[in-house]
Amino acid sequence: RGCPYACKFCHMGGKHFNKVNHNSFDRIIKEIEYVRKYNKTHNILNFTDDNFGMFDIDLKVLDYCQKSYKETGWPIQIRVATAKKPNKAFINAALKAPDMLRVTCHFQSLNKETLKYIKRIGPSETELENIHENFAESKSVNLSETALIIPMPHETYETYHAALKKIIDVYKIEHCAVQTLSTFWGISFESRSLLKEFGMKNKYRFEHSSFGEFKNFNAYEIDRVCVETNTFSENEYYKARLFYYFCTIFYFKRNFFYLRRYLTQLGLSTFEWIDFLFTNRNDAEIDVRKYFDKIDSMSRDELFDSPQEIKSYWSNLENRKKMRNGEFGFNVSHMVLGQMGLIYNKLLDYASHNTKKFLQTKNISFNNEVDELIRLMKKLRLNKLTNDEIDTDINEKFNFDFIQWHKDDFKKELKDYYYEEQLPMKLTFTDLQKSDLKNLITQYPKDEPVSVSKFYSRILPRRYFRNLIYI
């Protein structure tokens, strides 16, 4: 435990936490074996480490977990914050443990003034190149990810927008969590003088999922967050959050993979395409528009002006019922992913219509490529967490050899793979995917919205997308 960095936005930046300590390898393995012995349902192992991969002992632990998975099927996955500056040894270890963990590039911001102020030391260009080279989504089953925090000092909506563009178009990192700056007790931003200096406006929300009703009492926790600074307005904050959710829907977690590869191959910006979808969101059909509006409302409605307002909300029995049912008080970005499955086909139709409009604005001609890509993607994602859905193989015929296109790393135009007589293909999960998915869904009840949202936020996407094979 402990972190050698001094980032102002994090409680671990305090001097008390700067010394890094860890247990012996044997002690860690004994703890893992203890968890395995008494664990009945959970297949994901959590490590509360702030820089996993910094030391050789971490690589030995990762290797142990991978061997354990191969021999026993447990743990299917580990969840941990990886090292702020990933080295080659860790990258090689992660490559030997496919689908075991996410490899993170920690940004928090790409604005130089902000980074200097918060004392954040990000990955070097060489380290970023290593991440891209080894974990590009077209080549690797491993997921790369990063995070941004808004609104921090000196950050503007424009610098935030530019950061997302760089993450998507240049670094091509597959997932980014955009987090709201917490100003809780124990970090630099609890200081009243800092709040005044940067015009920081605080609001309050329930700490995500940190509430409950118990036998003799009920309880909840509060998170104090910043929604405005003197360079980033509250309205821009809400706009920034909604735009991030569009990135989540249409890019992050390998969503819309084949359609995005098609656009990239045409020399188009993925980020610009997402921005086009965002700008035209009000043209969506009613159910998709309601989905977008609900996302926007969730970002706004989770915030309160004072702790007293939260207390008043909690004291209402009907409100607590809503929270128990998963209608309020949970991580919004998780809920966005979980509810995608309810209107997935309609989202694809929306993307199809607006992608064609986007191509027309670029004077790019197309035939049935977009229609065939959308038809393919409607069959790829697991949208129902049931054994029957996992076991279902789907036979289809396509005018394009998507399999060879992927094998060629999407270097040629999709039209070069056209066949007049359609090619028969099967969309299926591998036997290992089926086994893992069936084990995983036992801890995520299919009828609970919060549970479903946690599945899609926690499980690495390679597991819940079907494979395409020739018949």
Side-chain angles (χ1 to χ4, degrees), residues 65-126:
C65 289
Q66 177 66 5
K67 288 179 179 177
S68 173
Y69 169 67
K70 288 180 178 179
E71 293 171 2
T72 70
W74 187 93
I76 291 176
Q77 203 174 292
I78 64 175
R79 298 182 73 228
V80 65
T82 57
K84 304 294 186 293
K85 297 176 76 64
N87 55 46
K88 287 186 178 180
F90 172 68
I91 288 175
N92 290 334
L95 290 171
K96 293 177 183 177
D99 271 348
M100 181 60 70
L101 81 169
R102 304 166 177 173
V103 178
T104 306
C105 292
H106 299 265
F107 287 141
Q108 280 66 58
S109 174
L110 289 178
N111 179 28
K112 290 182 180 180
E113 288 186 77
T114 301
L115 291 172
K116 182 180 179 180
Y117 180 79
I118 64 175
K119 299 182 179 181
R120 181 74 189 90
I121 303 173
S124 68
E125 289 298 323
T126 300

Side-chain angles (χ1 to χ4, degrees), residues 293-345:
D293 290 344
K294 184 176 181 180
I295 293 169
D296 187 36
S297 294
M298 284 193 290
S299 282
R300 297 169 185 270
D301 294 346
E302 73 170 353
L303 299 171
F304 295 82
D305 289 328
S306 68
Q308 290 73 29
E309 286 188 10
I310 288 185
K311 182 178 181 180
S312 177
Y313 185 93
W314 178 260
S315 64
N316 185 301
L317 294 178
E318 286 301 311
N319 290 337
R320 291 217 295 273
K321 182 179 179 181
K322 284 173 61 178
M323 296 175 76
R324 288 198 309 271
N325 293 339
E327 299 173 50
F328 190 79
F330 293 89
N331 188 301
V332 175
S333 60
H334 294 181
M335 301 301 286
V336 169
L337 285 167
Q339 293 178 16
M340 274 181 66
L342 301 176
I343 60 163
Y344 192 60
N345 285 351

Side-chain angles (χ1 to χ4, degrees), residues 371-417:
D371 292 332
E372 286 287 275
L373 284 162
I374 294 297
R375 196 160 65 84
L376 167 66
M377 291 191 297
K378 283 185 176 180
K379 312 294 183 181
L380 284 172
R381 186 179 187 263
L382 178 71
N383 284 319
K384 297 179 181 178
L385 305 187
T386 65
N387 288 342
D388 286 344
E389 186 73 11
I390 293 167
D391 284 329
T392 299
D393 293 337
I394 302 169
N395 295 330
E396 287 285 351
K397 292 182 178 180
F398 298 101
N399 281 124
F400 296 93
D401 190 346
F402 295 116
I403 298 172
Q404 189 60 47
W405 186 46
H406 195 161
K407 286 181 179 178
D408 293 340
D409 198 22
F410 311 100
K411 291 177 180 177
K412 298 180 182 179
E413 292 188 25
L414 180 57
K415 65 183 182 182
D416 293 337
Y417 297 85

Side-chain angles (χ1 to χ4, degrees), residues 176-274:
C176 177
V178 175
Q179 299 158 343
T180 302
L181 175 64
S182 286
T183 57
F184 53 77
W185 301 271
I187 67 170
S188 299
F189 292 114
E190 73 169 317
S191 165
R192 291 185 179 181
S193 62
L194 283 185
L195 297 178
K196 184 177 180 180
E197 178 183 356
F198 293 106
M200 301 174 79
K201 178 180 179 180
N202 283 329
K203 283 186 177 284
Y204 302 82
R205 65 185 181 188
F206 287 96
E207 181 67 41
H208 296 146
S209 308
S210 298
F211 53 83
E213 293 179 299
F214 308 99
K215 184 175 181 180
N216 296 318
F217 67 98
N218 59 69
Y220 60 89
E221 291 192 24
I222 297 175
D223 187 16
R224 189 175 75 176
V225 296
C226 175
V227 298
E228 180 176 271
T229 69
N230 51 20
T231 58
F232 206 123
S233 72
E234 185 173 350
N235 284 335
E236 287 175 328
Y237 166 80
Y238 296 126
K239 182 181 178 182
R241 294 290 290 173
L242 184 58
F243 184 77
Y244 158 60
Y245 295 132
F246 266 70
C247 294
T248 298
I249 294 166
F250 296 106
Y251 177 82
F252 297 141
K253 297 283 190 174
R254 298 197 177 181
N255 287 330
F256 289 76
F257 172 75
Y258 281 98
L259 182 57
R260 291 189 288 100
R261 300 307 301 183
Y262 170 69
L263 296 172
T264 301
Q265 189 279 320
L266 292 174
L268 299 175
S269 160
T270 301
F271 182 85
E272 192 177 335
W273 169 69
I274 296 170

Side-chain angles (χ1 to χ4, degrees), residues 331 334-335 337-338 448-458:
N331 188 301
H334 294 181
M335 301 301 286
L337 285 167
E448 296 180 8
V450 174
S451 181
V452 174
S453 76
K454 288 180 179 178
F455 174 88
Y456 288 107
S457 62
R458 293 175 178 174

